[in-house]
Amino acid sequence: MKILIVSDIFGKTDALEQLALALNSPAEIFDPYSAEMMNFSDEKQAYDYFSSEVGLDKYTQALVERISACSESLYLIGFSVGAAAIWNMSNLNMVKNVSKATCFYGSQIRNHRGVRPRFQIDLVFPISELHFSVDELIADLTTELAADHRGIDKVSIRQVSFLHGFMNKYSKNYDQSGFEQEMYLLQESIMSPIS
């Protein structure tokens, strides 16, 4: 099984490459900028560039194309907008080779609550977000998934005591202990058979 790391708005960075190596499994980074190191100075610059030059829909479509071109079974790991892109394409019939995904702080998932994933997804939400209630989103997703019985067995949701960006060393919200805790859980998940 191959790991595909779907980046946030910072794209491919030295820190993300180090994260990939720390997984101790073959991993590839997929980002919105065709693997070009953008070296953004801060989150605002990264956000503005991503919003004007790429956008979530285009990033999601590029991810679908990348996954469709891969013949191996995939484990997806997404961060922020990368997590949202994974979520948005998780209900597509054409995506057959994804075994599992772990999605960190995919805040845009709130705008796509009707998605019913076809593969196992673990959603990891932060303690809070500036623009919406994480607690309400988790409650709504749980209720909606349970109500129509499609996808409820495919989605696990948990909330951590860290902020959006805690896994990204370039984020002002980076948290070393949160990073280490989640890396341990990722490594365990990668080594466990997919149910």
Side-chain angles (χ1 to χ4, degrees):
M1 180 170 57
K2 182 176 185 173
I3 298 167
L4 188 65
I5 299 170
V6 187
S7 85
D8 61 12
I9 56 175
F10 282 91
K12 187 174 185 178
T13 63
D14 291 336
L16 199 57
E17 288 181 331
Q18 291 171 9
L19 184 150
L21 289 173
L23 293 171
N24 298 320
S25 291
E28 172 189 329
I29 296 172
F30 181 82
D31 73 282
Y33 316 118
S34 303
E36 180 182 344
M37 295 265 201
M38 300 302 287
N39 299 315
F40 295 114
S41 60
D42 57 32
E43 285 172 269
K44 181 179 181 342
Q45 183 187 29
Y47 178 81
D48 290 346
Y49 187 86
F50 177 84
S51 298
S52 67
E53 301 299 320
V54 183
L56 179 56
D57 290 342
K58 187 175 174 183
Y59 192 29
T60 302
Q61 184 55 44
L63 178 60
V64 170
E65 290 168 11
R66 174 63 192 97
I67 290 170
S68 298
C70 186
S71 59
E72 299 173 77
S73 176
L74 294 171
Y75 185 138
L76 307 178
I77 301 171
F79 299 96
S80 192
V81 72
I86 292 169
W87 176 261
N88 288 353
M89 50 68 61
S90 67
N91 63 343
L92 300 178
N93 284 329
M94 68 176 66
V95 180
K96 299 185 185 311
N97 55 333
V98 177
S99 299
K100 186 173 182 178
T102 300
C103 296
F104 292 93
Y105 38 85
S107 59
Q108 292 299 317
I109 289 171
R110 73 186 189 276
N111 298 319
H112 303 274
R113 298 176 192 207
V115 168
R116 299 298 174 258
R118 297 183 175 275
F119 51 83
Q120 179 65 43
I121 294 189
D122 298 332
L123 301 178
V124 182
F125 287 108
I127 190 67
S128 64
E129 290 275 8
L130 285 176
H131 304 293
F132 67 96
S133 166
V134 175
D135 293 336
E136 285 179 22
L137 174 59
I138 290 171
D140 289 350
L141 279 174
T142 302
T143 301
E144 290 170 22
L145 288 166
D148 73 8
H149 306 290
R150 290 180 306 137
I152 189 64
D153 59 329
K154 301 283 187 192
V155 181
S156 72
I157 302 172
R158 64 188 171 87
Q159 189 174 18
V160 295
S161 59
F162 311 105
L163 296 172
H164 187 117
F166 75 91
M167 293 288 287
N168 182 346
K169 291 182 180 177
Y170 294 102
S171 171
K172 64 184 179 193
N173 294 326
Y174 174 71
D175 187 286
Q176 182 69 33
S177 65
F179 176 85
E180 291 172 0
Q181 173 184 306
E182 292 302 321
M183 285 300 293
Y184 174 79
L185 293 173
L186 274 176
Q187 290 163 342
E188 290 288 308
S189 184
I190 290 165
M191 299 306 288
S192 301
I194 307 296
S195 53

